[in-house]
Amino acid sequence: MKLLKISSIAFVFFLATGNINAQKLKAFGSSIEKKVGPVTKKVPYTDIVSYLGHAAPNTEDEVKNGKKFYYIYVWIPAVAPELGLRMMSPAGKVKVKNAIKGSTFDANAGKKDYFDTYITLERSDIFTQDKIENVASASWTTLAKNDDSGEMPKQPSGSGYNSLLRYKSQTGSPLKALTRGLYRIGFTTYKRGEVNGTFLAQIGSPVKLPGVVMAKSIEELLAQMN
């Protein structure tokens, strides 16, 4: 009987620690490879900027193809060979150093709501800081998108519905090159419906890009830049 109890406790402990491990956020690395002696290694993202936010139903920025899209604006201050973007939900218990926090994150961090993340990385035709206020008339090009990634932690349901993408600059194409300028992260759910819950969004680069700024609105972005 005692052996059975010990085995039961061990099994419960295994399940608990397995769940904790499943929620751990792995290191964020690039797809660019570099040869160091006889070994070829992938170059890590040396510059990662994090944003902790909360998305509430019926506060979307735009409806596209029947889906409610939310945006986070990003200022990239220099040319980059690659940008990585990942998002996970929920993010109320995630510990991230020096994260930018949305104004509603702390008030909602204890809630259990989350959503099936679907992300896009978009670049605008605004390349200088003095033009950012003209965002309403900007043109946007979708560089990459992702729904599910096996590199990301599973959601509380056990499904691998968190997202990650990597995009290499296409220097031969004016529309697809990673230049200095205004970008945005678009996010929604894979299926049509409400987006509700906390999230962590991170942008990474294999080179240092001092001055990367992320914000939910253009007003907040300009305030951080100034």
Side-chain angles (χ1 to χ4, degrees):
M1 191 67 165
K2 188 181 288 185
L3 181 60
L4 180 60
K5 286 183 178 179
I6 293 172
S7 298
S8 298
I9 292 170
F11 180 65
V12 171
F13 179 75
F14 172 78
L15 287 178
T17 53
N19 184 56
I20 290 170
N21 288 335
Q23 299 302 316
K24 284 185 177 179
L25 199 58
K26 297 178 181 178
F28 197 11
S30 75
S31 64
I32 298 172
E33 295 183 338
K34 183 178 181 180
K35 195 166 184 179
V36 182
V39 180
T40 299
K41 295 183 177 181
K42 289 189 175 180
V43 178
Y45 286 137
T46 55
D47 207 12
I48 298 175
V49 181
S50 304
Y51 183 93
L52 288 166
H54 175 261
N58 301 313
T59 61
E60 69 276 358
D61 296 301
E62 187 178 9
V63 177
K64 292 195 299 187
N65 300 320
K67 291 186 179 184
K68 296 182 177 183
F69 265 84
Y70 296 68
Y71 296 117
I72 301 169
Y73 294 95
V74 186
W75 175 254
I76 301 294
V79 174
E82 177 180 294
L83 289 176
L85 168 62
R86 65 181 180 178
M87 177 177 284
M88 65 178 288
S89 177
K93 295 183 179 180
V94 176
K95 303 296 182 183
V96 184
K97 292 182 179 180
N98 303 318
I100 300 166
K101 284 187 180 181
S103 59
T104 60
F105 176 77
D106 285 334
N108 293 279
K111 295 181 180 179
K112 296 181 180 180
D113 298 314
Y114 62 94
F115 57 96
D116 171 1
T117 65
Y118 176 95
I119 56 174
T120 61
L121 176 64
E122 302 174 39
R123 199 201 79 176
S124 76
D125 57 353
I126 294 175
F127 306 111
T128 58
Q129 186 174 341
D130 62 315
K131 302 293 185 182
I132 292 177
E133 291 182 346
N134 301 332
V135 66
S137 59
S139 295
W140 294 92
T141 299
T142 300
L143 302 176
K145 55 188 176 182
N146 181 259
D147 177 25
D148 305 330
S149 172
E151 294 182 54
M152 295 295 289
K154 292 183 178 180
Q155 294 187 317
S157 63
S159 299
Y161 289 162
N162 287 315
S163 310
L164 183 151
L165 63 83
R166 298 178 180 89
Y167 178 79
K168 286 185 178 180
S169 180
Q170 298 182 27
T171 54
S173 171
L175 291 177
K176 298 296 183 74
L178 292 174
T179 60
R180 177 179 189 263
L182 181 66
Y183 293 71
R184 71 183 181 189
I185 300 165
F187 66 94
T188 183
T189 61
Y190 177 69
K191 294 180 180 179
R192 295 180 183 182
E194 298 297 343
V195 180
N196 185 27
T198 57
F199 64 87
L200 167 68
Q202 291 183 313
I203 278 195
S205 169
V207 297
K208 275 289 183 184
L209 296 174
V212 174
V213 179
M214 299 172 68
K216 189 66 185 69
S217 70
I218 290 297
E219 292 74 21
E220 292 174 12
L221 190 81
L222 289 170
Q224 288 189 44
M225 293 172 71
N226 294 329

